[in-house]
Amino acid sequence: MQGADLDGFTHTGLPVRVVFGAGVFEHLPREVAQLGVQRVLLLCTPGQRSTAARAAALLGASCVEIFEGAVMHVPIESARTATTAARAARADGLLALGGGSTTGLAKAIALETGLPIIAVPTTYAGSEMTPIYGLTEAGVKRTGRDLRVLPKTVLYDPQLSLELPARTSATSGMNAIAHAVEGLYAQDTNPVVALLAEAGIRALAQHLPAVIERPRDLSARSQCLYGAWLCGIVLGSVGMSLHHKLCHTLGGSCNLPHAETHSIVLPHAAAYNAGAAPLAMERVARALGVTEAPRGLFELAQRLGAPLALQRIGMRAEDLERAVDLATQAPYFNPRAVQRADIRNLLDDAFFGRAPRSY
Ligand code: NAD
């Protein structure tokens, strides 16, 4: 379908209250009260301690504890420790303040306890708009979908992203764009998702360069956060394909950083699927303002100063074959058949940082 035709489709809107705008962080007490939450467990990473302290000050007595142990890919041990902390503090709600790692930790607790989540995202990862959770045990990351982990309320305050470093902003923005690109050729895509995806890519592609040049440009930050929100809805609404499968595999098996991996692999995955998803690629290209989507994605990453080669973010050449094995083992939907030799070419290009080829 690739998102454009009206031959018949299904769309389920997910029930999340979104409060968007510079300064909405100050509305936290009102939003917590509106959910009927009286005992908040506040989650963050050590790096976001000072923003967490501001949130705790705003919440006063209703913030019963701060847990600052959020870690990338939600190791099961940290999920268990945080769940124990939530129970010990008799928390009746979770506040996830940070990027996808912190939201992921809140989701892991919610999965066990059913506690409602209020998310205040500070990156462009989009996890706050999805019912998808991930947990890593013994080096293997498993994911699942459960509406219990979907945040009830999300506060998008671009002021909180002013300190997000340029490199993280670039890769996190490319991560968001990846959700939209795959949403456009998803098996269950639909016209609403296509609109959101195209608008999300456009907002990020147009305004990420300004964020890289002027990280404290609030207007550019607002546009990027808006784009990230739209891309997050896409991720939460439809299934993902080859690109997300590859990044999941590389993240789990080679322990590569999440957003960087997405940023590097995306142009190559788009190139792989371009011939099988022409309408989706037309929309991506239009949103990027270019004629050819895969090359446009590669050039955007280049312009943003994002890493272009997996070998530069910690992947070893000897891991390539195993990554190909893992990515081609279990069947999953992709607009084009997943062929081993071509996946090897794709990963080689991404490994060395070459421009995407035509398949
Ligand atoms: P992250 O949450 O790990 O954050 C990266 C680093 O940036 C952290 O050290 C954090 O403290 C710091 N940081 C975050 N916001 C900041 C800010 N505004 N200013 C300064 N520093 C800031 O990275 P991420 O890319 O947001 O999330 C990645 C994780 O999210 C992965 O584990 C991924 O699997 C998961 N994820 C899940 C979903 C889903 O739907 N379940 C979607 C996207 C990502």
Side-chain angles (χ1 to χ4, degrees), residues 99-101 103-104 107 124-132 149-151 179 232 235:
S101 300
T103 310
K107 287 175 166 183
Y124 305 131
S127 175
E128 67 282 354
M129 294 309 294
T130 84
I132 306 164
V149 311
L150 180 72
H179 308 329
L235 177 66

Side-chain angles (χ1 to χ4, degrees), residues 331-349:
Y332 51 92
F333 171 78
N334 190 59
R336 179 178 159 211
V338 175
Q339 288 154 352
R340 201 187 155 82
D342 282 338
I343 296 298
R344 176 66 205 228
N345 286 338
L346 185 168
L347 283 177
D348 272 350
D349 290 345

Side-chain angles (χ1 to χ4, degrees), residues 82-263:
T83 304
T84 304
R87 289 195 169 117
R90 291 183 292 113
D92 63 357
L94 305 166
L95 172 57
L97 176 62
S101 300
T102 306
T103 310
L105 180 61
K107 287 175 166 183
I109 302 172
L111 191 65
E112 282 292 312
T113 62
L115 291 178
I117 300 174
I118 300 162
V120 182
T122 60
T123 70
Y124 305 131
S127 175
E128 67 282 354
M129 294 309 294
T130 84
I132 306 164
Y133 62 86
L135 279 166
T136 304
E137 188 165 12
V140 179
K141 185 170 178 178
R142 67 179 167 92
T143 58
R145 278 181 178 258
D146 193 313
L147 274 177
R148 275 182 305 171
V149 311
L150 180 72
K152 300 278 183 284
T153 302
V154 178
L155 271 68
Y156 283 109
D157 188 337
Q159 281 177 348
L160 299 182
S161 58
L162 295 178
E163 304 296 330
L164 190 63
R167 180 181 161 119
T168 320
S169 303
T171 55
S172 187
M174 292 298 292
N175 182 192
I177 290 175
H179 308 329
V181 171
E182 292 237 292
L184 282 165
Y185 54 61
Q187 193 171 25
D188 51 351
T189 194
N190 66 55
V192 177
V193 160
L195 281 177
L196 295 169
E198 191 174 333
I201 297 171
R202 182 170 294 115
L204 284 157
Q206 283 184 355
H207 298 281
L208 277 171
V211 156
I212 303 310
E213 279 166 31
R214 302 180 300 280
R216 298 192 61 81
D217 180 332
L218 187 60
S219 159
R221 285 290 189 186
S222 295
Q223 291 284 348
C224 289
L225 198 57
Y226 174 70
W229 167 37
L230 302 185
C231 294
I233 302 175
V234 172
L235 177 66
S237 303
V238 293
M240 297 287 117
S241 305
L242 176 68
H243 169 78
H244 280 73
K245 172 73 177 181
L246 286 174
C247 293
H248 182 91
T249 299
L250 292 167
S253 65
C254 309
N255 198 26
L256 301 185
H258 177 83
E260 281 91 336
T261 307
H262 271 269
S263 186

